[in-house]
Amino acid sequence: MSIKYKLGNYRSKLRNAGCIEVSINRRRSGEDDGAGPSLKRAKRGEINYVPDHPHTHTDDSLEEERLALVEELKKRNKNVALIKQQMEVTFSLRRKEIVELVPMVSEVQERWPALFYEAEIREEFLRITNKDLIDNFGAAINQHTPRLLKLYRARRTAFPPEMDQLLNRLDEEATDPEEEQTKGLIVGILTVLEDDDSSAPATVINVAVVVEEDIVLQDLPDLPTAFAYLFGLIYALNLQYPKELRYTFETIQKVFMELGTDLSARVRSFKNKLLQ
């Protein structure tokens, strides 16, 4: 209890000093600070949810950096090192916009186009969680896949027949136009197959990530990589997990990526079976 009070006093001092990451979550009855109604606390193991600006920068100076970043991206020969540096400097402004204003993904694409580069998704995820997105996800896949497949086969009668095709092929056929496949899709992965009438297994020609009905990443090498980048974008854009997939993403977050320890009963039960 003493520690609790000491931490409360420390947070009060930080809040009075203008620390954004502390003050952003203080919501009193009748208090109108202009923040969006869906503003929530960091809940997914974020280390840097809404960090303070660097000491030498303000909103205006960081906006200038953002504009310079956009101009750099228009060049044919882009300075990759400069882009990485400017994305690092403007991180606090970007998080403030995304968390406080909750913009549409298309708006984020317009203001922060570099955030949708594969390298910068990895960097942004690292800034937020202090974990490497692809390396940690790949290691978790290698560790858990054999046991996961055994668990599925042991319960295959509890799943629809379509899941057998998913297990055998490890991806999903998509033969309709992309517009139809992405319609109504909040987050997802689109696998494009070669149009071939032969009986041989279809060839995957493109794997893409879809957010708010738009393809934001494509030409990815495989399905696990696409899923990892989708998970990274959920963090980078501060998106909520789709309700119908909340346990799937909770498993990825807390079991695979080890971000957070407060597991739901269903995920805890699955984790125990997975690690037997």
Side-chain angles (χ1 to χ4, degrees), residues 151-152 155-163:
L151 287 174
Y152 168 75
R155 296 193 60 207
R156 63 188 310 161
T157 56
F159 296 96
E162 290 79 9
M163 287 296 291

Side-chain angles (χ1 to χ4, degrees), residues 72-138:
E72 181 64 31
L73 291 169
K74 294 178 181 178
K75 298 178 181 178
R76 177 174 297 180
N77 298 318
K78 301 176 180 60
N79 187 330
V80 177
L82 179 61
I83 291 172
K84 181 178 179 180
Q85 178 186 350
Q86 289 176 317
M87 285 291 286
E88 180 70 35
V89 169
T90 57
F91 174 59
S92 58
L93 177 64
R94 187 164 55 254
R95 290 299 295 175
K96 183 180 178 182
E97 289 182 5
I98 288 174
V99 174
E100 289 188 2
L101 303 180
V102 196
M104 297 290 290
V105 173
S106 57
E107 297 176 69
V108 181
Q109 281 185 295
E110 183 177 347
R111 284 184 57 80
W112 303 99
L115 186 59
F116 296 85
Y117 286 24
E118 294 173 30
E120 284 306 320
I121 294 174
R122 293 183 66 169
E123 291 294 334
E124 195 80 348
F125 189 81
L126 181 63
R127 296 181 192 108
I128 296 171
T129 67
N130 202 30
K131 284 183 177 285
D132 186 284
L133 174 64
I134 301 301
D135 289 350
N136 280 268
F137 187 78

Side-chain angles (χ1 to χ4, degrees), residues 37-61:
S38 60
L39 184 64
K40 295 184 178 180
R41 300 171 185 265
K43 292 183 177 180
R44 296 196 291 240
E46 296 95 333
I47 302 299
N48 293 305
Y49 188 54
V50 188
D52 292 322
H53 292 334
H55 295 303
T56 57
H57 284 285
T58 63
D59 281 2
D60 292 337
S61 65

Side-chain angles (χ1 to χ4, degrees), residues 8-9 21 25 33 46 50 55 61 92 101 114 127 154 171 174 187 190 233 245-246:
N9 291 334
E21 195 159 15
N25 288 320
D33 56 6
E46 296 95 333
V50 188
H55 295 303
S61 65
S92 58
L101 303 180
R127 296 181 192 108
D171 56 35
V187 296
L190 180 65
L233 279 170
L245 296 174
R246 63 188 182 279

